[in-house]
Amino acid sequence: MPALVLLGAQWGDEGKGKATDLLGGSVDYVVRYQGGNNAGHTVVVGDQKYALHLLPSGILSPGCTPVIGNGVVVDPSVLLSELSGLNERGVDTSKLLISGNAHIITPYNVTVDKVTERFLGKRKIGTTGRGIGPTYADKINRVGIRVQDLYDESILTQKVEAALDAKNQMLTKLYNRRAIAVEQVVGELLGYADKLAPYVADTVLVLNEALEQDKVVLFEGGQGTLLDIDHGTYPFVTSSNPTAGGACTGAGVGPTKISRVIGILKAYTTRVGAGPFPTELFDEDGEALRRIGGERGVTTGRDRRCGWFDAVIARYATRVNGLTDFFLTKLDVLTGWEQIPVCVAYEIDGKRVEELPYSQSDFHHAKPVYEMLPGWSEDISKAKSFSDLPKNAQAYVKALEEMSGAPISAIGVGPGRDETIEINSFL
């Protein structure tokens, strides 16, 4: 059963959109299985650049059916705006499917996200303020609104009332904000029902039937492994499971149907938002990586924090996801450095540690132990095969592969769709 999971092996922003798009022509379904419009993918097709925030990258591949799974939280206004923007650019979006079990980001979820993050002050998590966390909290607290609720006004009203009973108490008494009217929220949500109706489906049934028919299904995670709610750098994480296990729960397929798990690695490391980052650079090298790599969040617009490649977190990602392959992106950004540091271990309280510490305190105090690898100055953007790369670039890739614990099967040497070296086929 050709089911593949494609996910970020660092803190997100590794270039998952490029990897998904590379496979798109050979894939029948591309499924987003978690997250919301706090994750963004940039896909470059020819001279056209597309910024996708909620839609699966496969929406740009003709013949591919893009699916928003039950594990995703959906902001209807953002989704409809994104669809409209693609339609205006001539992209066919009619094949999109949305799970009726996916949860809706309501206006009060966005309000709660913004006021609570502001209230935290210096202790803030660094959320995007788009209501993602509060929506997942409502889901767990069983007061969430699902896409299917838009088609039963009575149920929708009851659920909004139940959610606002507690939230209005918090908003008015704790944060000194105005109460939110039930009727206003219900009216706004009902306004999306007809526009979303053509896309709503039983996606669990659709995907399992597709796999039984030997269709190729690609499950696409947002964010990255180190932002996973269970396996990331808690509490500086997202509110869902971008790791491989999240594909099963977030799309409704069993783990025995997953045949390959592909981790996306950037040739260096970046992070958006607060939280520990052992290899972060605050010097000219960090600024150069940011400038050359165009390191600005697709969804947030925030500059990404930049650092050298961290083999410790790459090994961790291999372990917790059961990775079978890596796709190494942005190797071209490292062109021009005489030597390139790679973090091979941490120093914690004077001791060398080669695996990710389970203790939050230890990770906060981890100092990178670097190994220096020789760099290269040649332009690699036109390379079509591994042998086309300069010897030092080849050695860098091989060293990262050995340190990370899974084969590197593809290498990105530029932002374009065709600027990829494919070493081993993913299919």
Side-chain angles (χ1 to χ4, degrees), residues 55-56 59 64-68 79 83 92-98 196 198-201:
L55 291 168
I59 200 156
C64 178
T65 300
V67 178
I68 293 177
L79 177 60
L83 288 169
D92 179 15
T93 62
S94 62
K95 297 183 74 173
L96 174 69
L97 300 178
I98 305 170
L196 293 178
Y199 307 110
V200 180

Side-chain angles (χ1 to χ4, degrees), residues 140-191:
I140 298 303
N141 287 327
R142 292 162 295 206
V143 292
I145 309 298
R146 298 192 293 179
V147 170
Q148 60 176 280
D149 297 330
L150 301 183
Y151 304 98
D152 189 320
E153 185 174 351
S154 175
I155 287 178
L156 177 63
T157 302
Q158 291 175 44
K159 288 191 171 185
V160 172
E161 286 175 344
L164 284 179
D165 275 347
K167 286 180 175 57
N168 276 335
Q169 292 289 323
M170 178 181 65
L171 288 171
T172 58
K173 295 181 179 178
L174 181 58
Y175 297 119
N176 198 30
R177 298 289 294 259
R178 242 181 304 185
I180 297 172
V182 171
E183 299 78 12
Q184 180 182 342
V185 173
V186 171
E188 181 175 333
L189 294 179
L190 288 175

Side-chain angles (χ1 to χ4, degrees), residues 53-377:
H53 305 281
L54 187 58
L55 291 168
S57 302
I59 200 156
L60 299 174
S61 299
C64 178
T65 300
V67 178
I68 293 177
N70 56 273
V72 178
V73 290
V74 179
D75 185 320
S77 64
V78 171
L79 177 60
L80 291 170
S81 174
E82 200 166 334
L83 288 169
S84 175
L86 290 177
N87 289 333
E88 289 174 4
R89 297 176 67 176
V91 176
D92 179 15
T93 62
S94 62
K95 297 183 74 173
L96 174 69
L97 300 178
I98 305 170
S99 170
N101 289 340
H103 280 247
I104 293 282
I105 299 173
T106 67
Y108 53 77
N109 291 136
V110 177
T111 298
V112 168
D113 197 359
K114 290 178 178 177
V115 298
T116 52
E117 183 77 347
R118 193 177 303 128
F119 184 77
L120 287 171
K122 293 181 180 179
R123 299 186 304 279
K124 65 183 180 180
I125 303 299
T127 78
T128 58
R130 288 167 168 78
I132 311 297
T135 304
Y136 276 114
D138 280 1
K139 177 179 179 177
I140 298 303
N141 287 327
R142 292 162 295 206
V143 292
I145 309 298
R146 298 192 293 179
V147 170
Q148 60 176 280
D149 297 330
L150 301 183
Y151 304 98
D152 189 320
E153 185 174 351
S154 175
I155 287 178
L156 177 63
T157 302
Q158 291 175 44
K159 288 191 171 185
V160 172
E161 286 175 344
L164 284 179
D165 275 347
K167 286 180 175 57
N168 276 335
Q169 292 289 323
M170 178 181 65
L171 288 171
T172 58
K173 295 181 179 178
L174 181 58
Y175 297 119
N176 198 30
R177 298 289 294 259
R178 242 181 304 185
I180 297 172
V182 171
E183 299 78 12
Q184 180 182 342
V185 173
V186 171
E188 181 175 333
L189 294 179
L190 288 175
Y192 299 123
D194 289 344
K195 296 174 183 177
L196 293 178
Y199 307 110
V200 180
D202 181 353
T203 56
V204 172
L205 178 61
V206 169
L207 293 173
N208 278 280
E209 286 183 341
L211 289 169
E212 289 168 8
Q213 296 164 12
D214 289 329
K215 302 289 187 181
V216 180
V217 180
L218 179 64
F219 299 93
E220 173 188 73
Q223 291 92 29
T225 297
L226 274 295
L227 291 179
D228 187 276
I229 185 70
D230 287 299
H231 303 291
T233 50
Y234 191 90
F236 303 98
V237 293
T238 194
S239 302
S240 56
N241 293 108
T243 45
C248 297
T249 55
V253 298
T256 55
K257 295 185 178 179
I258 305 297
S259 52
R260 207 156 183 179
V261 184
I262 305 162
I264 314 303
L265 274 179
K266 200 174 283 185
Y268 48 100
T269 311
T270 61
R271 176 168 195 167
V272 172
F277 183 0
T279 67
E280 184 172 10
L281 297 169
F282 301 94
D283 56 10
E284 293 178 358
D285 284 332
E287 184 53 42
L289 289 173
R290 185 178 296 112
R291 184 184 70 254
I292 299 168
E295 296 299 349
R296 181 175 287 267
V298 178
T299 294
T300 64
R302 294 182 287 187
D303 284 340
R304 295 175 184 140
R305 302 156 63 189
C306 295
W308 298 121
F309 185 86
D310 189 331
V312 180
I313 66 171
R315 285 194 293 275
Y316 178 75
T318 300
R319 183 180 307 116
V320 299
N321 292 297
L323 296 179
T324 59
D325 304 82
F326 278 117
F327 187 133
L328 185 70
T329 63
K330 292 197 171 184
L331 184 64
D332 53 301
V333 173
L334 296 180
T335 299
W337 267 273
E338 188 173 334
Q339 287 192 309
I340 305 171
V342 172
C343 174
V344 297
Y346 300 143
E347 181 185 312
I348 302 173
D349 295 332
K351 296 180 180 179
R352 181 185 172 103
V353 176
E354 297 192 355
E355 300 297 343
L356 196 78
Y358 78 90
S359 163
Q360 174 184 328
S361 298
D362 284 349
F363 192 59
H364 270 277
H365 295 108
K367 296 178 181 178
V369 176
Y370 287 116
E371 181 178 312
M372 305 302 291
L373 299 179
W376 62 92
S377 57

